Amino acid sequence: MTPVIKKTEAKTNGKPFKVIGQRVIRPDGVDKVTGRAQYGADVILPGLLYGKVLRSPHAHARILSIDTSAAEKLPGVKAVITGKDLKPAEDKVAKSGESSVNYSYLSQNVLAQDKVLYHGHPVAAVAATSIHIAEEALALIKVEYEVLPPVLNVLDAMKDDAPILLPNLRTKELGEVVSDKPTNIASHEQHARGDLAVGFAEADVIVEREFHTNTVHQGYIEPQNGTALWNADGQITVWTSTQGAWDQRRDLSEILHVPLSQIRVIPMEIGGGFGGKFPVYLEPLAALLSLKSGHRPVKMWMQRDEVLKATGPTSASVIRVKMGARKDGKITAAQAWLAYEAGAFPGSPVGAGMGVIFAPYKLDNVQIDGYDVVVNKPAAKAYRAPGGTNAAFAGETVIDELAEKLGMDPITFRRINAAKEGDRRADGPIYGRIGFIETLDAIEKHPHYHAPLPEPRAPYMKVGRGVACGFWYNWDGKSSASAVVNPDGTVSYLEGSTDIGGTRASLAMMLAETLGIHYEDVKPMVGDTQTVGYNDGTGGSRTTYGSGMAAYHLGKEIIREMKQRAAVLWEVPADDINVEGDVYSYGEKRITFKELCAKLDETGGPMSVSVSLDTKGAIPALATHVVDVEVDTETGKVNILRYTAAQDVGRAIHPSYVEGQIHGGVAQGIGWALNEEYYYDKDGHLMNASLLDYRMPTALDLPMIEAVIVEVPNPNHPFGVKGVGEVPIVPPAAAIANAIYRATGVRMTVLPMNPKNVLQALGKI
Amino acid sequence: MQAFSYVSARTLSEAADILAREGDQAKCLSGGTDLIVFLREGRRSAKVVVDVKGIPELNQLGYSPKEGLTIGAAVPLHRIYNDAHVIEHYPGLIDAATLIGGIAIQGRATLGGNVCTASPAGDSIPILIAYETTCIVASRNVTKAIPLEKFFVGPGRTVLQPGELLVALKLPPPKPNSGAAYLRFIPRNEMDIAVTSAGAMVVLDEDKRRFVGARLALGAVAPTPLFVPEAGAALTGQPVSDEAIEAAARAAQAAARPITDMRGSAEQRKHLSYVMTKRALLRAIERARGG
Ligand SMILES: Cc1cc2nc3c(=O)[nH]c(=O)nc-3n(C[C@H](O)[C@H](O)[C@H](O)COP(=O)(O)OP(=O)(O)OC[C@H]3O[C@@H](n4cnc5c(N)ncnc54)[C@H](O)[C@@H]3O)c2cc1C
């Protein structure tokens, strides 16, 4: 199956794009395929020490004492730290990537103070001359615990008599603390509009269901790592795998109580993040160990079980949805109740989930309540469209059921209710130029939607087709970049966005397009917190948008400077110089960008420019997916036969990387839908902390995923960009659930829809 | 990971001497695809690792119509599934040998290692039991033969005593009109451990309409791989029919004593014992009939 690509027809100033829309070769490609690219694990420094973390064997316990004396005496051990070495951080909140961070909690998550709150919570760390000595030293640390009862799911945690994780936590009820009762409910928020009672009274059909979803992990292949040198002059340098070097710098500054200017964060190549590589875990420990070991560099990296046990997965949840619709297909009322597990510290993506759940539809009577609840699991962190997949699983299942009850085609039903530019979302904002209906059209017109389902391979096999839609906010944010114009006609381009999805290429393309020069003549490089201006992290689907905007303005700055140089050359006013692509002209005089570069020395000397922007104007992404499944009704196993995803991307700068994002999002969504889950025993031990038993899909579990690129340009962006990376993970679970229903007649209301849960739903066990 | 010393034994007696001397602090290394993982993860400890791949008796792979098949404990899977005799006479074994790990693992991993790891989910074991396999075990002084279904005492535990090692597995020659098959159920399509598996061998009469005999074993539904004689009994003498297969599958389901863990629930495994038995029997019958 070859992907259907909508040809890039859009124009700027009446001219077709030269670079944008091409499938150019990525500048980091050769290094990556030859193994030369430098990842965190490749950092080797003179005098390097190796650090390891001692982790809690309990889900919930009070630390009574820690005795590190035997570990300290082990030859080769250079430093041991515990919570005592970490001065408590301030109880204040800042934005981090797409979520927010409370420094006090972040600090306690990095290294436990008086309590451990999940299996795998760090309690001590060691630096030694070899990794084996460090491992041995961990075994010599004696920790006395008073084990406390754990609370392992959101409904239990919300009960009045639940064990309390954080004694000082009080519920923020619609923004205000109204009770002094200790609780696990960090917050209750609400969006409401219209009158639910009126809406439900008007409905001809009403569907009401409760959904349960399990904890899942991003599953990036590269484990967390970090190397830190706390130099004798007080300067700290950190080499790490991060989506947000500046976020890290600020987090380290708060946790270590060191001014920002004393910290340099160098982002290495990254082996996946999906939101999970925003928070700090090892970096502050490596820094403290470096300080304590006499300013030697300390390198740390996690094993896979540590990644699964102790880095932020995304929330398990319970979601209740009630919706009503009229016979003519109009949704008259929609109500949702969402309770998300935050893990050990407040900060689940329930707020995002509340916004996602009904976002594709125009609703007059709506109420959405959301609860952020702590439980004895690792602190939830961002994961690709945080909180979106589970919310859409609930919302889009109910939408499908309403369509079915009304005897309507699921796409027709959605089109009747589809949100458009100017409609107000349940969570407040008014939509700009979104392309939701265009994605519905794309799927409705696609051959997949009309192809007959394949014949089942055996009598116990059932096949079915499901549809679901999804929404994601998209973020704009702050971006800086700088450039050096070289005498040979090339531009060295320094940007500050960790390149996860091919953004070095797409940003360089936008700079080349702006300058009218060849893509190959732009030499992009990702800088660090010391070498380039501030950048928000690579997250929230913002990089191609925000950093792309910076690339455009950087290009405009270069053009302005180049006009000055041409003006000097020709002794004419700069303002009168005309620029067409890479040609600068004045009357009969013409000179190309490249030729002008050769004359830099004689027109004023070297040239460099930089820009720093706080960009605005992101527009949400919407998507419609269709999937065919085969269900083995004897074993409960679901096979994905065919998958097609249509998405409004605004503009596909580099279509291959747009498709890559769609493929990746769908693949992760399929994993979440079918087999991924955290499996805890009753005492709160994570039992499947390996990629053998945490079942992400393998290549053999995925079909060809056809990405249908729909381009409804964003008028706020010079090239029409909308964010792309996150929305494709939103619809898959719902689409698959709807397909399972069409195949078997059974509505799945739990994630994952693994063989056990499907057998249960089918009444076979 | 702890340091250990390594000996590559050249003869059976050399290996047996070291094992006798070091007791449970000596561990045999065959393909190492389990042992090295166990040592790294601290699930086993060893002072001495005795590589048995260089011992001739453990490397034999031979078939004769009278004696059947002899597989040295250190013969890697790729040799087994590329062997013309195995392909012709033991297709059920091919099912298992091609399923364990990927190409790289199959280049190293052995049936001896799979059996001695004694995982209840070990993929070669149910079909080897169905094939009536005997384990040849040696120590410094003694060599003995143990039926495979009596080889296991618990998860990761066998009847082997310190000082003993597995030399070979012996499978009797296939009976006329017989067929066998191994199937495992995993939630993904690769890279998983059996939630439940079934190995079946059936012997039909000359007309291929009646069961002369049958052996069935299940994986991952008890502390050890589980031989289910009741399933064989339910088939023996019966016509090949849905009813007989159903009865055998129900017998397997009744015999299963699974637990609930991260890989599946007890109820699910009970149910799958039935489903996988049925499917393995159907495939074995198809093969017995020349399919
Ligand atoms: C990536 C991967 C995938 C895998 N997939 C599967 C799978 O799909 N199905 C499956 O069942 N297994 C699987 N395994 C597990 C393993 O590969 C098999 O169990 C394999 O058959 C073990 O054989 P080995 O020769 O490598 O054993 P080794 O690791 O050499 O030995 C295993 C154990 O047996 C002992 N031992 C070895 N030889 C002898 C002997 N002659 N006498 C006494 N004791 C002995 C060792 O001391 C050790 O305790 C997988 C492993 C990996 C790493």
Side-chain angles (χ1 to χ4, degrees), chain A residues 53-63 104-124 145-152 164-166 215 217 224 279-282 285 302 305-313 341-346 374-381 678 680-681 683-687 689:
Chain A
V53 175
L54 181 71
R55 296 178 183 279
S56 167
H58 305 297
H60 194 190
R62 208 178 306 286
I63 299 173
S104 166
Y105 292 147
L106 186 65
S107 173
Q108 292 176 59
N109 193 42
V110 162
L111 201 50
Q113 293 294 329
D114 48 342
K115 271 177 95 178
V116 288
L117 296 169
Y118 55 92
H119 179 210
H121 198 159
V123 291
Y145 294 100
E146 176 196 344
V147 178
L148 304 169
V151 54
L152 294 166
I164 295 293
L165 273 75
L166 304 167
T215 310
H217 196 271
Q224 263 81 1
V280 292
Y281 294 101
L282 300 175
L285 304 181
M302 291 195 195
D305 67 314
E306 298 180 279
V307 172
L308 288 165
K309 278 178 195 157
T311 69
E341 293 178 5
F345 300 101
V374 294
V375 298
N376 292 110
K377 294 184 183 176
K381 297 293 172 192
Y678 270 37
Y680 284 93
D681 71 8
D683 300 319
H685 301 114
L686 183 61
M687 301 305 283

Side-chain angles (χ1 to χ4, degrees), chain A residues 82-160:
Chain A
T82 67
K84 284 202 184 68
D85 295 277
L86 199 58
K87 204 163 80 183
E90 220 179 308
D91 189 11
K92 71 174 183 192
V93 179
K95 195 167 163 52
S96 172
E98 288 173 278
S99 38
S100 57
V101 54
N102 173 310
Y103 292 115
S104 166
Y105 292 147
L106 186 65
S107 173
Q108 292 176 59
N109 193 42
V110 162
L111 201 50
Q113 293 294 329
D114 48 342
K115 271 177 95 178
V116 288
L117 296 169
Y118 55 92
H119 179 210
H121 198 159
V123 291
V126 173
T129 50
S130 90
I131 193 75
H132 302 292
I133 295 173
E135 271 170 15
E136 255 175 76
L138 292 187
L140 297 175
I141 299 174
K142 288 185 211 72
V143 187
E144 249 189 297
Y145 294 100
E146 176 196 344
V147 178
L148 304 169
V151 54
L152 294 166
N153 76 67
V154 68
L155 293 183
D156 286 346
M158 291 174 87
K159 287 180 184 152
D160 267 346

Side-chain angles (χ1 to χ4, degrees), chain A residues 460 634 637 693 696 701, chain B residues 188-189 192 263 271 279:
Chain A
Y460 47 81
E634 285 189 349
K637 183 164 165 171
D693 289 318
M696 301 202 293
D701 301 305
Chain B
R188 290 184 288 194
N189 292 319
D192 240 327
R263 297 189 181 128
H271 173 79
R279 292 186 184 179

Side-chain angles (χ1 to χ4, degrees), chain B residues 102-155:
Chain B
I103 299 277
I105 293 294
Q106 290 162 2
R108 279 275 173 186
T110 64
L111 293 186
N114 198 244
V115 165
C116 291
T117 288
S119 159
D123 274 313
S124 73
I125 303 169
I127 191 67
L128 286 171
I129 292 176
Y131 274 129
E132 244 182 307
T133 298
T134 306
C135 304
I136 307 301
V137 172
S139 61
R140 216 153 37 159
N141 314 315
V142 192
T143 299
K144 54 189 177 184
I146 304 166
L148 183 58
E149 59 266 30
K150 302 231 160 74
F151 192 71
F152 307 102
V153 295

Side-chain angles (χ1 to χ4, degrees), chain A residues 692, chain B residues 12 19 26-38 44 49-53 55 58 72-77 96 98-102 104-106 108-119 121-125 136-138 151 156 158 160 164-168 182 184 186 190-194:
Chain A
L692 177 58
Chain B
L12 199 50
L19 294 177
K27 294 283 185 300
C28 288
L29 174 99
S30 192
T33 62
D34 275 327
L35 184 68
I36 300 298
V37 179
F38 294 157
R44 297 263 204 296
V49 166
V50 187
D51 189 337
V52 297
K53 283 194 291 295
I55 303 173
L58 276 77
V75 176
L77 296 172
T98 51
L99 203 88
I100 296 173
I105 293 294
Q106 290 162 2
R108 279 275 173 186
T110 64
L111 293 186
N114 198 244
V115 165
C116 291
T117 288
S119 159
D123 274 313
S124 73
I125 303 169
I136 307 301
V137 172
F151 192 71
T158 69
L160 288 181
E164 291 183 334
L165 80 164
L166 180 67
V167 177
Y182 175 72
R184 73 173 176 189
I186 54 174
E190 248 307 336
M191 220 177 83
D192 240 327
I193 292 187

Side-chain angles (χ1 to χ4, degrees), chain A residues 155-479:
Chain A
L155 293 183
D156 286 346
M158 291 174 87
K159 287 180 184 152
D160 267 346
D161 57 351
I164 295 293
L165 273 75
L166 304 167
N168 297 328
L169 187 66
R170 302 292 176 269
T171 305
K172 265 202 178 147
E173 177 68 32
L174 308 182
E176 306 276 330
V177 173
V178 293
S179 153
D180 197 38
K181 193 171 147 15
T183 178
N184 294 319
I185 304 174
S187 67
H188 167 216
E189 290 183 45
Q190 187 179 75
H191 304 306
R193 179 161 76 228
D195 189 329
L196 278 184
V198 170
F200 282 119
E202 214 191 308
D204 295 307
V205 290
I206 291 176
V207 173
E208 189 171 5
R209 284 192 179 273
E210 179 172 299
F211 301 85
H212 292 247
T213 77
N214 210 329
T215 310
V216 294
H217 196 271
Q218 297 86 352
Y220 33 79
I221 292 305
E222 180 206 26
Q224 263 81 1
N225 57 72
T227 303
L229 172 64
W230 192 317
N231 216 349
D233 62 2
Q235 193 68 35
I236 300 172
T237 308
V238 172
W239 296 258
T240 184
S241 173
T242 179
Q243 291 176 248
W246 283 264
D247 299 69
Q248 276 236 354
R249 183 179 64 163
R250 185 202 52 211
D251 294 352
L252 286 166
S253 159
E254 295 286 342
I255 292 174
L256 300 173
H257 307 275
V258 166
L260 278 183
S261 57
Q262 269 173 244
I263 302 171
R264 177 178 181 191
V265 176
I266 302 177
M268 306 300 291
E269 292 292 349
I270 189 167
F274 311 109
K277 294 253 180 83
F278 272 104
V280 292
Y281 294 101
L282 300 175
E283 297 86 348
L285 304 181
L288 284 173
L289 288 167
S290 175
L291 177 66
K292 216 173 173 182
S293 64
H295 310 292
R296 289 179 66 168
V298 176
K299 178 172 175 176
M300 303 181 81
W301 66 92
M302 291 195 195
Q303 295 295 317
R304 183 66 57 186
D305 67 314
E306 298 180 279
V307 172
L308 288 165
K309 278 178 195 157
T311 69
T314 197
S315 304
S317 61
V318 175
I319 303 174
R320 298 175 187 140
V321 178
K322 183 179 176 188
M323 287 177 106
R326 283 194 317 243
K327 283 203 188 80
D328 63 2
K330 171 84 186 126
I331 298 169
T332 56
Q335 184 177 14
W337 181 97
L338 305 89
Y340 279 37
E341 293 178 5
F345 300 101
S348 79
V350 67
M354 291 165 69
V356 166
I357 191 159
F358 299 137
Y361 310 105
K362 182 176 170 2
L363 300 169
D364 300 323
N365 304 303
V366 57
Q367 183 178 325
I368 303 167
D369 288 274
Y371 296 83
D372 183 35
V373 184
V374 294
V375 298
N376 292 110
K377 294 184 183 176
K381 297 293 172 192
Y383 174 19
R384 200 171 203 156
T389 303
N390 40 341
F393 169 60
E396 290 291 299
T397 297
V398 170
I399 289 279
D400 191 68
E401 197 167 353
L402 282 174
E404 179 216 349
K405 291 223 152 94
L406 293 168
M408 274 188 179
D409 170 83
I411 290 185
T412 309
F413 179 64
R414 285 175 170 88
R415 189 183 284 104
I416 291 169
N417 295 287
K420 293 185 280 297
E421 183 174 5
D423 288 338
R424 184 180 283 283
R425 293 188 341 227
D427 56 337
I430 293 174
Y431 274 122
R433 182 66 180 94
I434 51 168
F436 179 39
I437 291 178
E438 288 81 351
T439 69
L440 290 170
D441 293 344
I443 289 298
E444 196 171 50
K445 282 199 288 249
H446 194 279
H448 181 172
Y449 199 61
H450 307 283
L453 282 163
E455 281 300 311
R457 290 179 299 165
Y460 47 81
M461 294 287 195
K462 305 282 180 213
V463 293
R465 175 170 297 155
V467 173
C469 299
F471 154 94
W472 190 250
Y473 305 81
N474 293 341
W475 182 27
D476 24 45
K478 304 178 187 74
S479 285

Side-chain angles (χ1 to χ4, degrees), chain A residues 132 135 460 632 634-635 637 639 675 679 687 691-693 695-696 700-701 755-756 759 764-765, chain B residues 1 185-193 195 260-263 265 267-268 271-272 275 278-279:
Chain A
H132 302 292
E135 271 170 15
Y460 47 81
D632 182 332
E634 285 189 349
T635 64
K637 183 164 165 171
N639 258 319
N675 280 304
Y679 186 92
M687 301 305 283
L691 293 189
L692 177 58
D693 289 318
R695 294 173 176 129
M696 301 202 293
L700 295 171
D701 301 305
K756 179 183 72 181
L759 278 181
K764 296 276 171 79
I765 56 171
Chain B
M1 189 170 176
F185 179 75
I186 54 174
R188 290 184 288 194
N189 292 319
E190 248 307 336
M191 220 177 83
D192 240 327
I193 292 187
V195 177
T260 292
D261 67 9
M262 70 273 190
R263 297 189 181 128
S265 74
E267 301 74 40
Q268 179 190 13
H271 173 79
L272 286 173
V275 176
K278 210 167 61 171
R279 292 186 184 179

